[in-house]
Amino acid sequence: MESHEGAAAAAARDCVLDFSRLSLNTFNADNISGDRKSDTRQLFLNYNRLSSLPSSVSLFYNLEILDISNNGLTDICEGITRLTKLKTLLAKNNRLDEFSLPKEFGSLQLEVLNFSGNRFEEIPLQCTKLMRLQSLSIGGNRLKSIPAEIEHLTSLEMLYLGGNLISDIPPELAHLPYLTYLVLCDNRIQSVPPQLARLHSLRSLSLHNNLLTYLPREILSLVHLEELSLRGNPLVVRFVKEMIYDPPSLLELAGRTIKSRNIPYCPYDMPYNLVRYLDLASKCPNPKCAGVYFDSCVRQIKFIDFCGKYRLPLMHYLCSPECTSPCSSNPQSDAESEEENSVPADRLQRVLLG
């Protein structure tokens, strides 16, 4: 038994080539036998002085893990696209930017990609073509935005974009059905799109050290969310109520009447654009109101109680000013107080505000 275990351990060691921390300026694979190249599954070139990824890495055609972190890399060679079995690429703490990747980089079968600690100002579109990617880390760069094409990464489970210059979250991010961990801390984000409520697999959302003053009320729909990190944001510390209300148009008044009174209609009764307009009605969230709205609504920032300890400001939409209660000793609307009581204490295991 021991001999079999020893043989297995030796075989595992044979699959690994470790050239890390050797102060290498170049990597020459000429002295490595063909069989060893074929057997190698993991290649470590991290903590050296490489300025570009040598084309000789393409000779390790069975490679599954490649670590080229902590070098001075400014370029990744075209040869990497020939590593058809490569699953993990670690290239953090280099000098890479959006022009450093080969054109066909998106053809790789990567599952894990780490470009943190580089000089990316944009997420390369090649990265949005990695259809098997499960983990993407581009933290500590100079990213100013997240491309809408991020929605193509439908296998993604973890997205780390902390420590950048991002100001907006694209609603397309909500099209990632398996996203479980989303890290957007240490950016310049001012608002969270309500579409993120569609991330039904999301368990951890890190938004600390941004410029958030409120959250969309739709965040309550994230039923699997266990951790929400919000510390370091200018979240209001006292009750704030903001009302922005434009009087409804005649079209909207007519639409509200039809929907709220359940007046029957069919596509043959009116032009298609009016039928489509009626289909866009949103129900007022106030449980004491049966009204609807289309374009004209009251926008309020309301506090929702989480875990019996923290009160978070969420954006709330109502159909009219009449849906809010008059000021009283408890300066909250009926809609708000009922909604607060409906949020169970265990919805979030950790809400980090401090």
Side-chain angles (χ1 to χ4, degrees), residues 274-324:
L274 294 181
V275 175
R276 180 168 176 78
Y277 179 78
L278 290 172
D279 291 340
L280 296 176
S282 298
K283 187 180 183 301
C284 182
N286 187 342
K288 297 185 178 181
C289 175
V292 300
Y293 64 88
F294 294 86
D295 303 311
S296 178
C297 62
V298 175
R299 188 178 72 179
Q300 291 183 316
I301 296 177
K302 296 189 167 194
F303 275 81
I304 301 296
D305 184 38
F306 280 97
C307 308
K309 183 176 181 181
Y310 300 107
R311 296 174 61 76
L312 306 181
L314 305 184
M315 185 60 82
H316 200 80
Y317 297 91
L318 300 170
C319 67
S320 72
E322 285 72 26
C323 278
T324 61

Side-chain angles (χ1 to χ4, degrees), residues 51-116:
S51 59
S52 63
L53 182 63
S55 59
S56 56
V57 297
S58 63
L59 302 175
F60 298 86
Y61 49 86
N62 286 319
L63 203 60
E64 297 178 2
I65 298 175
L66 175 60
D67 190 347
I68 51 176
S69 301
N70 298 92
N71 280 280
L73 292 173
T74 59
D75 176 67
I76 292 182
C77 66
E78 190 76 32
I80 196 173
T81 61
R82 294 196 285 272
L83 299 177
T84 58
K85 298 183 180 180
L86 190 65
K87 295 180 180 179
T88 298
L89 175 60
L90 307 177
K92 57 186 180 181
N93 300 330
N94 283 290
R95 300 175 184 175
L96 301 171
D97 59 28
E98 55 270 26
F99 305 107
S100 300
L101 306 184
K103 183 179 179 180
E104 300 301 322
F105 186 81
S107 66
L108 288 169
Q109 304 300 305
L110 289 176
E111 297 177 0
V112 177
L113 176 60
N114 192 329
F115 278 148
S116 292

Side-chain angles (χ1 to χ4, degrees), residues 136-198:
L136 175 61
S137 300
I138 315 184
N141 278 270
R142 304 169 183 176
L143 300 178
K144 299 177 182 178
S145 62
I146 304 172
E149 290 81 359
I150 196 78
E151 66 180 353
H152 298 153
L153 300 179
T154 53
S155 298
L156 205 61
E157 298 177 9
M158 196 279 284
L159 178 61
Y160 188 103
L161 298 176
N164 282 287
L165 305 172
I166 298 168
S167 58
D168 295 302
I169 303 174
E172 288 80 5
L173 203 61
H175 298 158
L176 304 178
Y178 302 110
L179 193 64
T180 306
Y181 301 95
L182 177 58
V183 181
L184 296 170
C185 59
D186 299 289
N187 277 286
R188 299 177 179 178
I189 298 168
Q190 300 183 42
S191 63
V192 177
Q195 290 87 347
L196 289 196
R198 301 173 191 164

Side-chain angles (χ1 to χ4, degrees), residues 250-270:
L250 291 176
L251 174 63
E252 175 148 350
L253 287 173
R256 289 187 180 197
T257 300
I258 292 173
K259 299 296 287 190
S260 60
R261 297 186 181 181
N262 294 318
I263 298 175
Y265 64 91
C266 67
Y268 305 105
D269 295 334
M270 61 187 73

